[in-house]
Amino acid sequence: MWVKRWLLGRPLATAQVSHERLSNPVALAVFSSDPLSSTAYATEEIFLVLILAGTAALHYSIGISLVIVGLVAILTASYRQTIFAYPSGGGAYVVAKSNLGESPGLVAAAALLIDYVLTVAVSVAAGIAAITSAVPALREHRVALGLAAIVILTWANLRGVRESGRIFAVPTYLFVGGLGLVIMVGLGRELFGAPVDHAVPSVPAVEGLTLFLLLRAFSSGCTALTGIEAISNGVPAFREPVSKNAATTLTWMAVMLASLFLGLTVLAYLYGLVPREDETLISQIARISLGGGVFYYFIQAATAMILILAANTSYNGFPRLASILAQDSFLPRQMRSLGDRLAFSNGILILGLCAAVLLVIFRGDTHALIPLYAIGVFLSFTLSQAGMVRHWQDHKRPGWRKALAINLTGAVATGVATVVLALTKFTHGAWVVIVLVPLLIGMFRKIQWHYRIADWQLALDMYERPRTPPPNVLVMPISGVNRSIVMALDYARRCGEDLRAVYVDLDPDETIKIKGQWDRWGAGTPLVILSSPYRSFLAPLLNYIETVRQEQPGVWVTVVLPEVIPARWWQNLLHNQRALLIKAALLFQFRVVVIDVPYHLGPY
Amino acid sequence: MWVKRWLLGRPLATAQVSHERLSNPVALAVFSSDPLSSTAYATEEIFLVLILAGTAALHYSIGISLVIVGLVAILTASYRQTIFAYPSGGGAYVVAKSNLGESPGLVAAAALLIDYVLTVAVSVAAGIAAITSAVPALREHRVALGLAAIVILTWANLRGVRESGRIFAVPTYLFVGGLGLVIMVGLGRELFGAPVDHAVPSVPAVEGLTLFLLLRAFSSGCTALTGIEAISNGVPAFREPVSKNAATTLTWMAVMLASLFLGLTVLAYLYGLVPREDETLISQIARISLGGGVFYYFIQAATAMILILAANTSYNGFPRLASILAQDSFLPRQMRSLGDRLAFSNGILILGLCAAVLLVIFRGDTHALIPLYAIGVFLSFTLSQAGMVRHWQDHKRPGWRKALAINLTGAVATGVATVVLALTKFTHGAWVVIVLVPLLIGMFRKIQWHYRIADWQLALDMYERPRTPPPNVLVMPISGVNRSIVMALDYARRCGEDLRAVYVDLDPDETIKIKGQWDRWGAGTPLVILSSPYRSFLAPLLNYIETVRQEQPGVWVTVVLPEVIPARWWQNLLHNQRALLIKAALLFQFRVVVIDVPYHLGPY
């Protein structure tokens, strides 16, 4: 227990929940680390596709970035509507389910669960890439470093949400400030006369510059938008008035995101940079703009920190969504409950585990994970916005037409983007998500179906309670006659009339001895001797229980197990092996009750 | 169950035990595979030491081999005495303990357990080396091949002893016949005028030819004697008259062992061979003597088979010794019992596991394992022979003086060899065994001490049986009101007067609902509502149990757990998480009885 306390901190009372609210600057850090940090790899992903058509194609990156910034503006306007309409948290699942129905809701839920896991894996992989760009010697340890980061994140989140906020505020602002400096210094020098001198490599084209290639570049850049919905999910974490605070924070976040993304893309283009295997694009930009040295390492450290901590958005979102799904019986019911620290411990642990598995499978490579990433996000964007369109049709408050128009724009824009993403990334990994979503939905439905049947079978409406209790035969297997046995016998004699001790005969001499001892200590309880031609202890006992049940149909059999409990854990290896075997064999037996009667040995 | 049957065969009845006796030829194969197979590496180990003093030193191998053959003769004569004195099996532990006392017995037991494990590891490693000598491409997979061999051996032995005998008879005789052919053909040609033409490499000396080096070479060659005691341990496995049959078989085995070992050493010397990394010495001898081709591959296959199967001696010996130790309470009592197939299943599994671990640690390298090997064998030889000397002093039958003289010779010879082994091999790995033996003895004594204290604490001699049973409070935690709960309630009402249902309040609305349902279905049983400020289900329940116990000192608390048992295993993930938590928390509680009342859901 104290280990748990030391690791996770004191438990928080339910009454403390309402105090676990975040101020706007802290909330900005907590919810924005995911979208802001994606600027660390979005530009590079665009360049990675365009470079296939040679260095000359790179100037399209500016246009593509502008389209994406346009999407940011549309989505921000859309989600501001959601925040005001759903002050208790308008995740895509809730919005889609309540407006469009259960099936679209489950599609959104499945897509979101997948993307929460991918956010953790991608962010951690990119964060480690920021570190290995600065310290190339660590490159070969990137999977181990990533796993360590996931373990630390999981631990921090099991501690609870407010401390998370504090942990994450500093790196987010360091990252924004640092990159802002890089962009301002870089652009200032390029525009006002002191351009940096650097070699511009010329990469030949390996593919033609087709529309499909441009759309693929756009799809890759769309990773910049991932996580933009986090604030609308987490509205209740804000201080009162929650909706207003959340909407303001969302706008701030969008402005920062657009500025950083656009600034970095323009700088990368002006510097004539190309993606490299061993160094990220953002590391190249920072190195050139600030000229290496201590500032450069500071930028890399801030980038690594915000990326690794960006995964925190998922640690807030995943368990919350899993809990909502569990309340609707789509996931196991134990995922409903809050842990001691106001965190949804089960969900946090599952998220950490899945992300760790992904990281190992993809060997910690960001580029390999990216194609799986954005498709789920955009699927949920689309369903969420479409749900809002229906919402305004049903709730015609003042100004509903304008709100509907905004959300309709959002739905169409993200819908088109989803189709583009699915088509251009399908063979690069998006098919995995397209296969996983229906599988997850199948699981949701199967679990809900099970709970429905179980609840129906357990319902008391039609239950005919027996007036007289069914007959009950108590069977106590004994391996000898000692205090533990006698104590269990005296206990069992109170539980029913028909008590029988059972001894499996493995050695005739021993059996005669036991019979004699039982005459003295058995208190008149009959002793049944079972023969065991195959020297098995278990089989004769199970056969005997079966015989009892066949003789008296409808009978309950209660097996009383005397157990010796030693004072130290390792001594358990020296006791109770038979009791364990018996319990394992009886676990799924019909109308068999097991009673464990402990006898505690003293320490010595 | 049928999987177990298919893997292990039908169970054998106790009455069948006496039929599981071995004829002399089969017994020779079963018990001799270990000592005979050691000729496959003993010569090479002598050469590996002598070569340090250069090629010129190799002629000492003949003298060293003659000394070892002398030891074989002495040990054979000694163990014939043991076989007649202990027809029920005279293992070193039994002989040393009954004649010299418990401590020497435990030293012998610890040494033997270690050597059984090493026999498996060394034999398997050497067997794989025989294969990779013929097929060099397999060399890099030698650890995997060794592990596969151990798995197959463990499986074969779980099936039972007679089938083992049959499996092992063929390769043993193929090996003896094949090597006999190699030696006869080889010696015949060298002596009668048609010597083989081959290159004799000259290796320079890297160490001086000291007495210490010669003793080290002797120590290495002593591995040829390992396993020679197997027959005296396994006397009861022979047909009547057991002692006579066993003694005859032992003599046959010794003659074969001495001939093969001496023949191979002489041939290796005549051929001017030196040890090589990638091919065993015996493989070189066979290749030269038979001139390669199909006969050569046949010899390698027979060598590999007898070596891998030699480990079988340990699979007979280890579980048998562990069972004897368990009967004396030096090992956990569950190791006493015969499994379904007249085999000591627990011991077989532990042996296989330990050998597999050793094989992996030493990367399947025979030479690295050898220095650990013989020291334990010779320690147990010495204790066993010394025990026999004391035996004849205590049992002065006709001819005891001659028997005593033989065993005294054996004790002195093996005692001197043990000291030589310990001194010359100490830094090469023998220290591991010298450290492990006292640790194992400490474990034996600790386990025995625990059982003594436990038996004393459980003894009924001084037990004052309570005349009136202690008070018993029944506590039934409920999470709702349904059929499973009502059924468990009706069951529990019969087990005692003082029954209380307990509900942990996590949501006030839900609690009011539960109260209403309980009024209808609770049958007058009081419902205790526990508040839970930290939303934990478990803590308030444990506190409540503690309160009950403090109010009534000496009270027993019986926790009744209603459990929903679904029809399919995976559905268990959706139920009973709380019951599991409760059981885990109550496992070691004093005077707390747990009753599991199952409610089976139907399949759908």
Side-chain angles (χ1 to χ4, degrees), chain A residues 450 457 459 483 491 558 575 602, chain B residues 450 457 459 483 491 558 575 602:
Chain A
H450 171 78
Q457 288 192 23
R483 288 191 188 199
Y491 180 93
T558 300
H575 294 281
Chain B
H450 171 79
Q457 288 192 23
R483 288 191 189 200
Y491 180 94
T558 299
H575 294 281

Side-chain angles (χ1 to χ4, degrees), chain B residues 478 481 503 508-522 527-529:
Chain B
I478 65 170
V481 182
Y503 181 75
D509 298 341
E510 189 66 19
T511 305
I512 290 166
K513 218 178 90 193
I514 297 288
K515 270 185 185 157
Q517 290 174 313
W518 195 254
D519 287 342
R520 180 164 168 215
W521 292 99
L527 176 65
V528 180
I529 306 285

Side-chain angles (χ1 to χ4, degrees), chain B residues 1-8:
Chain B
M1 279 308 255
W2 70 262
V3 173
K4 188 180 169 196
R5 282 293 148 261
W6 180 78
L7 279 173
L8 306 183

Side-chain angles (χ1 to χ4, degrees), chain B residues 371-430:
Chain B
L372 284 74
Y373 190 20
I375 173 92
V377 180
F378 273 78
L379 197 54
S380 68
F381 282 168
T382 310
L383 287 165
S384 169
Q385 300 309 319
M388 286 308 294
V389 171
R390 167 61 65 88
H391 176 84
W392 298 123
Q393 289 178 320
D394 296 345
H395 301 77
K396 298 185 175 169
R397 297 189 208 144
W400 69 273
R401 280 173 213 278
K402 189 184 148 208
L404 189 147
I406 292 171
N407 283 127
L408 188 61
T409 313
V412 171
T414 52
V416 170
T418 307
V419 173
V420 170
L421 272 162
L423 290 176
T424 58
K425 295 285 183 185
F426 187 82
T427 53
H428 296 90

Side-chain angles (χ1 to χ4, degrees), chain A residues 57-98:
Chain A
L58 289 181
H59 76 270
Y60 283 100
S61 61
I62 308 293
I64 289 171
S65 296
L66 286 172
V67 174
I68 289 170
V69 166
L71 266 181
V72 170
I74 292 173
L75 274 173
T76 305
S78 288
Y79 272 115
R80 284 181 60 101
Q81 308 301 321
T82 309
I83 287 170
F84 284 103
Y86 287 90
S88 64
Y93 169 66
V94 173
V95 173
K97 189 184 161 215
S98 60

